[in-house]
């Protein structure tokens, strides 16, 4: 059974950077596509970025050019490098497969962008 644990969130000023990590307890590579999602207060969860087993990536328009998703095969880990953060990036960030598996949602990691 796969468990996904997100970390790396925190409070950062606008324009700052954070790097999120998503560690899998089991192999994630049988899941071809992994994604980072986020949910802001009062809003639906949205897909932010995806990465395939071949390291092809896609991004939501709102984060394109600022966020970078990557994965480390040896460490069973997916990352999200977030630069030029904006207050509207404030949300709880989650990783999951794409499409997401309901049983794999973790606790997420809170990202707050505020001065």
């Amino acid at each position: 059974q796969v468990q996904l644990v997100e970390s790396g969130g925190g409070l950062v000023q606008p324009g700052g950077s954070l790097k999120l990590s998503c560690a899998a307890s089991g192999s994630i590579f049988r899941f071809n596509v992994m994604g980072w999602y986020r949910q802001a207060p009062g809003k639906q969860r949205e897909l932010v970025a995806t990465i395939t087993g071949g390291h092809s990536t896609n991004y939501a328009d709102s984060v394109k050019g600022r966020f970078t998703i990557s994965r480390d095969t040896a460490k069973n880990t997916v990352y999200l490098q977030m630069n030029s953060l904006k207050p509207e990036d404030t949300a709880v960030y989650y990783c999951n497969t794409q499409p997401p598996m309901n049983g794999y949602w973790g606790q997420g990691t809170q990202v707050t962008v505020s001065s």
Side-chain angles (χ1 to χ4, degrees):
Q1 184 176 356
V2 173
Q3 288 185 321
L4 300 169
V5 179
E6 302 90 350
S7 63
L11 173 64
V12 63
Q13 292 186 342
S17 298
L18 284 173
K19 186 173 184 177
L20 307 183
S21 299
C22 170
S25 61
S27 175
I28 64 174
F29 303 111
R30 57 196 176 99
F31 306 117
N32 184 45
V33 183
M34 293 296 296
W36 278 98
Y37 302 77
R38 68 185 181 186
Q39 187 167 21
K43 295 187 177 181
Q44 288 190 333
R45 192 173 293 173
E46 63 173 342
L47 179 63
V48 172
T50 61
I51 185 166
T52 69
H55 298 263
S56 294
T57 59
N58 273 294
Y59 299 92
D61 287 343
S62 59
V63 306
K64 201 171 293 184
R66 300 188 297 122
F67 290 11
T68 303
I69 188 172
S70 60
R71 64 196 292 171
D72 186 321
T73 301
K75 295 182 178 180
N76 277 355
T77 302
V78 180
Y79 303 98
L80 186 68
Q81 176 68 46
M82 306 186 296
N83 299 328
S84 302
L85 283 161
K86 303 175 181 180
E88 51 263 45
D89 294 319
T90 295
V92 179
Y93 285 72
Y94 305 86
C95 66
N96 204 323
T97 57
Q98 166 57 23
M101 300 289 285
N102 283 335
Y104 293 163
W105 291 113
Q107 295 299 309
T109 185
Q110 175 70 48
V111 172
T112 302
V113 185
S114 175
S115 55

